[in-house]
Amino acid sequence: MQAQRDWEHGFSLVFSQLSGLTGGAESTKRTLSQMRGMFRDAEAVSAILRGGDPLIYEFYELGAPETPGDLAFGTSICYPGKVGDEYFMTKGHFHTLLDCAEVYHTLSGQGLLLMENPEGDVQSQVLRPGAAVYVPPRYAHRSVNTGTTPLVTFFVFRADAGHDYATIEPKGFRKLALERDGQLVLRDNPLWA
Ligand code: NI
């Protein structure tokens, strides 16, 4: 249940830089079992799930009215960790209205924003505290936590843009964010070969 807000009047909210929390809001949570097919190492997924079902990420939405003139905003928190050698990440999505852009401003943590368009152009931008990343229209986007603390980002986009997760789900993004000798590397996703 989201806290009710009056979107016809101005309001002010304080987001926690470290946790993304806003007073009274409930987050939407994504655990590993809800993302089974999204990490490439199925054995590593199963091994982790035998010991529990870790929270991979969560996000706070504020229930903005889905009208063209409104802006939806909130925070996303991707936790540190890996599945095999693949960093914890969000599911990622296109906007249902493909032409709608988005901004991600990092409040804390370290990571990467992976982006790709339907034609296969791939881009990435580093997420670091203070940096605002512009996701252009038509680009799917996914946050990857490459650090050791929660990656907390503030996002804002056109409120009626919608989320299309289904296009990403069968094959994932074209690039995988992996750790090699303690460093982030991007590798081609074999499902796109
Ligand atoms: Ni988005």
Side-chain angles (χ1 to χ4, degrees):
M1 187 59 119
Q2 299 291 349
Q4 291 299 310
R5 295 176 211 291
D6 180 355
W7 290 81
E8 291 182 7
H9 293 85
F11 60 87
S12 163
L13 287 174
V14 174
F15 292 93
S16 160
Q17 254 183 308
L18 291 178
S19 72
L21 276 167
T22 65
E26 277 285 324
S27 71
T28 302
K29 296 175 173 64
R30 297 283 181 248
T31 64
L32 182 57
S33 66
Q34 295 172 295
M35 297 177 67
R36 265 180 177 281
M38 307 198 92
F39 291 94
R40 67 165 192 158
D41 187 340
E43 279 182 27
V45 171
S46 299
I48 293 171
L49 288 177
R50 280 196 288 276
D53 188 11
L55 182 61
I56 306 295
Y57 71 99
E58 59 188 318
F59 54 94
Y60 293 91
E61 294 177 306
L62 303 170
E66 295 183 5
T67 54
D70 264 298
L71 292 173
F73 64 99
T75 49
S76 166
I77 304 96
C78 184
Y79 289 95
K82 282 177 294 173
V83 178
D85 57 2
E86 190 170 17
Y87 291 105
F88 280 12
M89 61 193 180
T90 63
K91 283 185 165 186
H93 58 266
F94 286 96
H95 290 150
T96 309
L97 298 179
L98 195 57
D99 275 337
C100 291
E102 185 157 354
V103 167
Y104 278 81
H105 179 235
T106 302
L107 301 181
S108 57
Q110 297 289 333
L112 195 75
L113 198 68
L114 267 181
M115 297 173 269
E116 66 179 49
N117 70 6
E119 290 72 39
D121 183 51
V122 173
Q123 301 187 15
S124 65
Q125 290 289 334
V126 172
L127 297 171
R128 61 181 197 280
V133 173
Y134 178 64
V135 181
R138 306 186 80 258
Y139 277 75
H141 35 287
R142 157 180 284 172
S143 308
V144 179
N145 187 336
T146 59
T148 56
T149 58
L151 172 64
V152 183
T153 51
F154 173 92
F155 58 81
V156 59
F157 60 96
R158 197 173 116 173
D160 63 338
H163 292 88
D164 166 16
Y165 294 99
T167 301
I168 291 296
E169 269 168 11
K171 295 206 283 188
F173 278 59
R174 286 171 168 81
K175 295 284 183 186
L176 305 174
L178 308 177
E179 189 205 60
R180 287 283 183 277
D181 302 322
Q183 298 292 318
L184 164 73
V185 295
L186 293 181
R187 290 284 183 265
D188 289 338
N189 176 354
L191 294 179
W192 280 100

